[in-house]
Amino acid sequence: MTDSILNERRGAVAWLTLNRPQIHNAFDDALIATLTDALAQADADPAVRAVVLSGNGSCFSAGADLNWMRGMASASEQENREDSLRLARLMRNLQFLSKPTIARVNGAAYGGGVGLVACCDIAIGVDTAKFALSEVKLGLVPAVISPYVIAAIGLREARRLFITGEVFEAATAARIGLLHTVVSVPELDEAIERQLYLLAKAGPQAQREAKRLALRMGGADVAQAERIDQDNAALIARLRVSEEGQHGLSAFLDKRAPAWAGNAVP
């Protein structure tokens, strides 16, 4: 069995790499648990000054794994709620990690992959990367990741992307605030190293407090995030077992268009 997360220490930096390239680094329950644990280890280790999160292969993360989605489609509402809470915990822990975090966006990020990018303090991506919040095409919504995506790109952009589910380019991701920097593929690692150099020049305690200050001034705190996660997990669980959600998931898994797509305006 290949590890779903590669956890490598390079000096004072923890490099966490999603390692399911054959399925575009898609999430399943095992990957979520492993990444949650890896983040907790990095957070608790005083020798770690920063965390870099990336993907192995040509994609950052395609979001939910098909087999995982198939299982959730047939699960109960309560099981779906518990499953969503595990993903919510991962996103919340990444958002509030006490160490600086960098998303090394080496390729496409869809759904939950966009959530991971939004939760990181700094996001640097390649100019060939594409992004989407395409849950509505399945009769669902990006519930669990919504607080972090909205905080990153703003309410106006989120409303559009949430309801269209459209694919957008790296240049758009930078314009709306999802990415801080866009570089060519050969320049990606140099850009990451340059950012790590800047981070290493700051006091670690000051960085922790600066991050907490920014989050607090932006209206984000862990207790509030946990309450929101409870509501959003209940929402996505309800939609997954709804008639429309079941139809949308089934159509997606069967690689056919859902009934409502026939009413699409050209």
Side-chain angles (χ1 to χ4, degrees):
M1 292 289 289
T2 303
D3 291 339
S4 60
I5 301 292
L6 299 179
N7 189 343
E8 180 186 2
R9 297 295 167 88
R10 302 183 193 176
V13 181
W15 287 70
L16 305 180
T17 305
L18 309 180
N19 188 38
R20 306 180 82 203
Q22 70 280 8
I23 54 170
H24 310 297
N25 300 316
F27 296 172
D28 63 3
D29 50 356
L31 184 146
I32 290 168
T34 303
L35 183 53
T36 301
D37 289 344
L39 288 170
Q41 291 169 17
D43 206 26
D45 188 344
V48 172
R49 289 286 312 275
V51 174
V52 176
L53 180 62
S54 190
N56 190 8
S58 61
C59 287
F60 180 76
S61 175
D65 170 78
L66 287 180
N67 288 328
W68 183 45
M69 289 178 65
R70 187 172 285 109
M72 288 301 98
S74 61
S76 68
E77 184 171 346
Q78 179 61 29
E79 288 170 328
N80 270 287
R81 183 176 178 278
E82 291 169 358
D83 173 78
S84 297
L85 284 173
R86 287 189 286 270
L87 179 60
R89 180 180 172 227
L90 166 61
M91 297 293 169
R92 188 171 67 248
N93 288 0
L94 179 57
Q95 169 86 343
F96 291 99
L97 205 78
S98 68
K99 315 292 176 70
T101 54
I102 300 176
R104 177 186 178 274
V105 187
N106 58 301
Y110 296 150
V114 175
L116 291 176
V117 176
C119 287
C120 287
D121 300 315
I122 301 162
I124 301 173
V126 295
D127 53 10
T128 55
K130 296 182 184 299
F131 304 84
L133 295 155
S134 55
E135 287 84 351
V136 287
K137 295 179 180 179
L138 281 65
L140 304 175
V141 296
V144 166
I145 64 173
S146 62
Y148 312 110
V149 175
I150 292 170
I153 71 175
L155 178 58
R156 185 68 170 162
E157 293 292 349
R159 285 165 62 180
R160 177 173 68 93
L161 295 171
F162 282 13
I163 64 176
T164 65
E166 67 191 78
V167 175
F168 55 99
E169 309 286 336
T172 300
R175 178 181 62 78
I176 65 179
L178 182 62
L179 294 179
H180 293 101
T181 306
V182 176
V183 297
S184 67
V185 173
E187 295 174 318
L188 180 58
D189 285 330
E190 180 182 348
I192 297 295
E193 291 299 333
R194 184 163 56 248
Q195 198 67 69
L196 288 171
Y197 171 77
L198 293 173
L199 289 172
K201 295 169 71 71
Q205 181 176 339
Q207 281 178 331
R208 284 194 299 273
E209 293 300 333
K211 181 169 179 174
R212 289 170 183 159
L213 174 65
L215 288 167
R216 187 170 68 251
M217 291 299 99
D221 69 76
V222 176
Q224 181 188 34
E226 191 164 3
R227 289 192 295 271
I228 292 171
D229 287 343
Q230 293 285 340
D231 290 341
N232 285 340
L235 169 61
I236 190 60
R238 175 169 57 80
L239 290 178
R240 281 182 185 173
V241 299
S242 71
E243 183 177 353
E244 183 171 287
Q246 287 285 297
H247 173 70
L249 283 168
S250 176
F252 178 74
L253 293 170
D254 293 342
K255 298 183 179 180
R256 55 182 169 81
W260 59 75
N263 299 320
V265 178

